[in-house]
């Protein structure tokens, strides 16, 4: 067996999570291999190359904090960087820290089976490679398993098709074409204005109208970048203890406790900031009280009516089926304005659902449409999709996908009972997608590295949560979610976007700072809620 066949750790995925995990494990002296399905690093920023793709957390926050040198040498150019800029950054990180030699690209991990006798994982890939490893770290991404619409006949369509999350590397142009975009989540809302500028004719198929705020994107001046670079240490410390991974003062006032004029002025000020939390962070009760929420929702709808010329189109674009903030809010550049263009049309799929795709386009219950290109902006099987796509077997041949049939069960969103030495970076039931994800990624990666260092220092060969600790965590996360309006929405946060998926509110809503403290306390208490098996002893049944 060579060093490549048997390593200390396998990491699956080479996005923000996998790259940093590799860096930390290498620092510990572990032999580590990373497998990545794409042919380059970047994860989200490698795959989502659609026109208009960019970050919606400000660049100076959405970046690694682990290396002060990296912080100082990298110059972000925009408030919200484009996909190419974030991808350049991650390529720079991979090269700067000499990570590339440890990564096997264009290789998908298809299975990971725990061997209780050998106390290690057997990992197999789609290229036929098999590797054993004491630890497996799933850095597979919360939003990395794209989903197509569940509508018959996609294979019949003879024109071009593109999924926003599987965009090719070559430039895709739509000049002179009749184009359809299906989906109006963050990806659709970012790409529709740019496709509309090229296409002869664009039809947007909308199932659920979403709330979106103008991003107010702009170049960053050198003085602003210099100022941020000088305040990084304090800023990063504040990120770590914040609620969402972005330092911000939390509101204390209730929406209905202030006079209407003051409320509107507060929303105007929030709107002007151009952030995903522009409106939901204006008052303390927006995500808890339906009446408070409605004041923010109506403010947003009035903004849509003020921009969109045709009142019927404005009404179609006005979300009414979910409270604001309970589906991931969107940031845009010229989204609503796009519907004033003569070449852009909107079809409400709640009124007239798509029945099937045809050779030439698609058919709704109302009409047949011909297109030369269809863009699927139909999202992801979020949080569990990439994990369940791998045949993961724990002790006693337990299949993770079966264990999670009624919804994912984890302890702290980072480990699973019955699956020793397996860690899930930003896994389900952790803050993950409710936060600035880079902050949550760094926290998980560091926790995992420290856990492994602890095991090595104390002679443990396996770690696994107890079923009791896991059950309590699952209940705690569900109880926190139930205090909010999130579970009322048909969103990917609840798995409702994937037919047949268990309906569970998947992220932890207690805040990044509180969560970090909980994880730190668990570790400081000798990994409370985990069973640690000393090397040489049989694993607990
Ligand atoms: P990913 O970047 O998803 O990387 C996971 C990698 O694992 C992928 O490259 C995938 O190919 C690989 N992989 C998965 N399964 C396997 C397998 N079986 N074998 C081999 N390789 C595998 N978050 C924010 O906080 N702010 C933002 O502004 C923001 N913008 C986003 C924009 C888009 C378009 C999308 C889709 C997501 C955005 N997110 C944002 C969330 C984003 O996913 C995270 O911020 C972050 O990039 C996730 O990094 P990751 O390494 O955990 O996962
Ligand atoms: P999404 O938010 O899930 O949106 C998918 C869209 O496709 C929704 O409008 C959905 O309608 C529609 N859809 C799905 N299946 C359909 C079907 N069968 N028929 C008709 N319509 C269908 O996915 P996304 O836009 O790719 O974004 C996912 C997440 O990635 C975001 O929420 C965000 O966290 C992240 N992201 C961030 C940015 C950014 O700005 N930084 C950009 C892109 C993505 P329903 O709502 O009715 O399900």
């Amino acid at each position: 067996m060579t060093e490549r066949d048997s390593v200390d750790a396998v990491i699956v995925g080479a996005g923000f999570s996998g790259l940093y995990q590799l860096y930390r494990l290498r620092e510990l002296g572990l032999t580590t291999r990373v497998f990545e399905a794409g042919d380059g690093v970047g994860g989200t920023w490698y795959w989502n190359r659609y026109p208009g793709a960019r970050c919606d957390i400000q660049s100076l926050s959405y970046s690694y904090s682990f290396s002060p040198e990296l912080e100082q040498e990298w110059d972000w150019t925009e408030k919200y960087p484009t996909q190419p800029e974030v991808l350049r950054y991650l390529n720079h990180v991979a090269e700067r820290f000499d990570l590339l030699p440890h990564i096997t690209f264009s290789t998908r991990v298809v299975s990971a089976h725990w061997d209780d006798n050998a106390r290690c994982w057997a990992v197999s890939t789609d290229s036929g490679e098999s590797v054993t490893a004491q630890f497996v770290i799933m850095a597979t991404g919360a939003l990395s398993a794209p989903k197509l619409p569940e509508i018959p006949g996609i294979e019949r369509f003879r024109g071009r098709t593109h999924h926003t999350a599987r965009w090719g590397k070559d430039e895709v142009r739509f000049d002179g074409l009749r184009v359809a975009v299906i989906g109006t989540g963050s990806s659709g809302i970012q790409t529709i204005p740019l496709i509309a500028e090229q296409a002869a004719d664009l039809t947007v198929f909308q199932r659920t109208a979403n709330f979106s705020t103008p991003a107010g994107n702009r170049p960053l001046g050198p003085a602003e970048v210099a100022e941020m670079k000088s305040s990084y240490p304090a800023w990063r410390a504040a990120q770590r203890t914040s609620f969402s991974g972005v330092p911000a003062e939390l509101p204390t006032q209730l929406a209905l406790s202030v006079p209407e004029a003051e409320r509107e002025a507060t929303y105007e000020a929030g709107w002007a900031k151009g952030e995903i939390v522009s409106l939901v962070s204006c008052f303390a009760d927006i995500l808890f009280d339906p009446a408070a929420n409605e004041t923010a929702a109506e403010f947003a709808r009035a903004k849509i009516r003020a921009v969109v010329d045709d009142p019927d189109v404005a009404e179609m674009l006005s979300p009414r089926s979910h409270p604001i903030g309970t589906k991931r809010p969107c940031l845009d550049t010229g989204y609503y304005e796009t519907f004033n263009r003569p070449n852009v049309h909107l079809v409400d799929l709640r009124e007239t659902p798509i029945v099937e795709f045809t050779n030439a386009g698609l058919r709704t219950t109302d009409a047949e449409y011909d297109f030369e290109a269809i863009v699927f902006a139909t999202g992801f099987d979020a949080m569990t999709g990439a994990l369940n796509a791998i045949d993961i077997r724990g002790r006693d041949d337990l299949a993770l996908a079966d264990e999670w049939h009624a919804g994912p069960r984890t302890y702290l969103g980072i480990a699973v009972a019955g699956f020793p030495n397996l860690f899930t970076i930003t896994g389900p039931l952790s803050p993950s997608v409710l936060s600035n994800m880079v902050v949550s990624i760094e926290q998980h990666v560091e926790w995992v590295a420290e856990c492994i260092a602890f095991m090595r220092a104390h002679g443990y060969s396996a770690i696994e949560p107890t079923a009791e600790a896991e059950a309590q965590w699952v209940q705690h996360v569900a109880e926190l979610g139930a205090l909010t309006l999130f579970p009322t929405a048909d969103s990917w946060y609840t798995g409702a976007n994937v037919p047949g998926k268990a309906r569970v509110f998947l992220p932890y809503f207690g805040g990044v700072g509180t969560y970090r403290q909980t994880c730190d306390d668990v570790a400081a208490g000798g990994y409370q809620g985990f069973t640690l098996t000393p090397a040489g002893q049989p694993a607990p049944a």
Side-chain angles (χ1 to χ4, degrees):
M1 193 166 279
T2 69
E3 202 182 286
R4 283 177 73 79
D5 301 327
S6 174
V7 287
D8 294 320
V10 161
I11 298 169
V12 189
F16 265 103
S17 300
L19 291 176
Y20 184 38
Q21 191 71 72
L22 170 60
Y23 173 83
R24 290 303 296 247
L25 295 191
R26 228 187 33 181
E27 267 196 334
L28 286 180
L30 266 69
T31 53
T32 305
R33 288 194 63 187
V34 179
F35 292 102
E36 166 53 58
D39 71 1
V41 302
T44 288
W45 305 101
Y46 167 92
W47 294 106
N48 293 263
R49 296 167 191 252
Y50 58 85
R54 63 170 77 238
C55 210
D56 61 8
I57 300 282
Q58 298 198 26
S59 49
L60 295 158
S61 289
Y62 189 77
S63 50
Y64 287 120
S65 72
F66 70 86
S67 162
E69 296 78 21
L70 173 65
E71 284 177 341
Q72 294 305 317
E73 73 199 15
W74 186 264
D75 291 324
W76 292 105
T77 67
E78 291 184 68
K79 175 183 175 190
Y80 295 116
T82 59
Q83 169 272 326
E85 185 167 4
V86 184
L87 185 58
R88 269 199 306 281
Y89 171 74
L90 289 170
N91 272 297
H92 170 71
V93 168
E95 282 161 26
R96 189 192 191 290
F97 296 104
D98 196 24
L99 302 176
L100 295 170
H102 305 268
I103 308 175
T104 306
F105 290 108
S106 306
T107 305
R108 184 169 285 282
V109 167
V110 292
S111 68
H113 294 181
W114 175 251
D115 178 338
D116 221 11
N117 293 322
R119 209 75 60 81
C120 70
W121 287 93
V123 175
S124 306
T125 73
D126 63 356
S127 63
E129 212 179 332
S130 297
V131 182
T132 60
Q134 186 185 3
F135 299 99
V136 169
I137 295 108
M138 293 295 175
T140 42
L143 291 158
S144 62
K147 92 177 239 314
L148 286 166
E150 310 69 20
I151 298 166
I154 293 183
E155 68 294 341
R156 260 183 244 145
F157 178 60
R158 286 201 302 255
R160 285 162 32 186
T161 57
H162 308 273
H163 193 294
T164 47
R166 285 293 177 270
W167 211 262
K169 285 187 188 169
D170 296 334
E171 190 192 7
V172 177
R173 300 277 316 173
F174 295 97
D175 306 84
L177 301 184
R178 277 167 294 134
V179 183
V181 174
I182 302 177
T184 52
S186 300
S187 304
I189 281 176
Q190 283 187 329
T191 203
I192 283 165
L194 289 154
I195 295 179
E197 283 173 14
Q198 295 175 9
D201 192 83
L202 169 65
T203 306
V204 175
F205 292 89
Q206 170 189 278
R207 187 165 71 181
T208 307
N210 246 318
F211 292 99
S212 184
T213 309
N217 190 38
R218 57 185 169 75
L220 292 175
E224 204 172 348
V225 173
E227 141 96 43
M228 193 65 214
K229 284 186 181 181
S230 68
S231 55
Y232 261 139
W235 184 259
R236 299 305 197 187
Q239 282 187 330
R240 292 187 187 107
T241 54
S242 67
F243 188 81
S244 65
V246 178
E249 220 169 281
L250 291 182
T252 51
Q253 279 188 314
L254 303 182
L256 295 168
S257 70
V258 299
E260 190 180 345
E262 187 183 332
R263 193 165 56 237
E264 292 294 298
T266 306
Y267 286 142
E268 278 297 350
W271 189 257
K273 286 187 199 161
E275 295 174 350
I276 47 171
V277 292
S278 270
L279 295 182
V280 295
S281 66
C282 282
F283 294 101
D285 52 351
I286 302 289
L287 290 172
F288 299 91
D289 175 6
N293 188 285
E294 180 55 23
T295 63
E298 190 43 36
F299 178 90
R301 291 186 206 113
K303 288 289 186 193
I304 298 170
R305 291 193 289 273
V307 170
V308 178
D309 297 338
D310 182 331
D312 293 335
V313 175
E315 180 51 30
M316 266 201 272
L317 289 166
S318 297
R320 299 211 179 258
S321 62
H322 62 282
I324 188 168
T326 57
K327 280 165 94 85
R328 171 71 153 63
C330 306
L331 273 191
D332 71 271
T333 302
Y335 178 63
Y336 295 113
E337 290 82 348
T338 298
F339 291 89
N340 293 333
R341 297 176 65 105
N343 67 330
V344 176
H345 323 282
L346 182 64
V347 174
D348 182 350
L349 294 180
R350 291 187 181 231
E351 289 289 318
T352 57
I354 300 172
V355 177
E356 60 174 352
F357 291 94
T358 63
N359 289 347
L362 59 83
R363 188 164 67 79
T364 67
T365 51
D366 175 57
E368 205 149 334
Y369 297 84
D370 290 358
F371 298 112
E372 280 133 342
I374 299 180
V375 173
F376 299 110
T378 42
F380 301 87
D381 181 353
M383 303 209 65
T384 54
L387 291 166
N388 283 338
I390 304 171
D391 176 22
I392 302 174
R393 305 282 173 105
R395 277 193 292 107
D396 306 323
D397 211 28
L398 209 64
L400 187 76
D402 292 343
E403 284 296 292
W404 286 7
H405 182 67
R409 301 180 61 77
T410 68
Y411 181 41
L412 303 171
I414 207 167
V416 186
F419 297 80
N421 295 1
L422 177 83
F423 299 104
T424 51
I425 304 302
T426 69
L429 316 187
S430 74
S432 182
V433 294
L434 290 185
S435 66
N436 168 1
M437 286 195 70
V438 182
V439 173
S440 291
I441 285 168
E442 286 195 326
Q443 184 252 333
H444 265 189
V445 164
E446 286 160 13
W447 193 93
V448 169
E450 280 155 28
C451 174
I452 292 175
F454 173 88
M455 289 174 67
R456 299 229 143 174
H458 294 85
Y460 293 113
S461 62
I463 186 167
E464 174 190 341
T466 65
E468 297 73 38
E470 182 180 272
Q472 279 170 17
W473 185 255
V474 170
Q475 191 182 345
H476 175 56
V477 174
E479 282 169 0
L480 278 177
L483 296 174
T484 72
L485 298 173
F486 280 107
T488 65
D490 287 340
S491 67
W492 59 256
Y493 289 145
T494 61
N497 66 325
V498 177
K501 188 166 172 174
R503 192 173 177 124
V504 171
F505 181 54
L506 295 163
Y508 164 85
F509 183 70
V512 161
T514 310
Y515 174 79
R516 177 186 295 271
Q517 190 60 54
T518 305
C519 293
D520 288 351
D521 291 347
V522 163
Y527 293 89
Q528 289 160 345
F530 286 93
T531 303
L532 284 150
T533 308
Q537 273 187 27

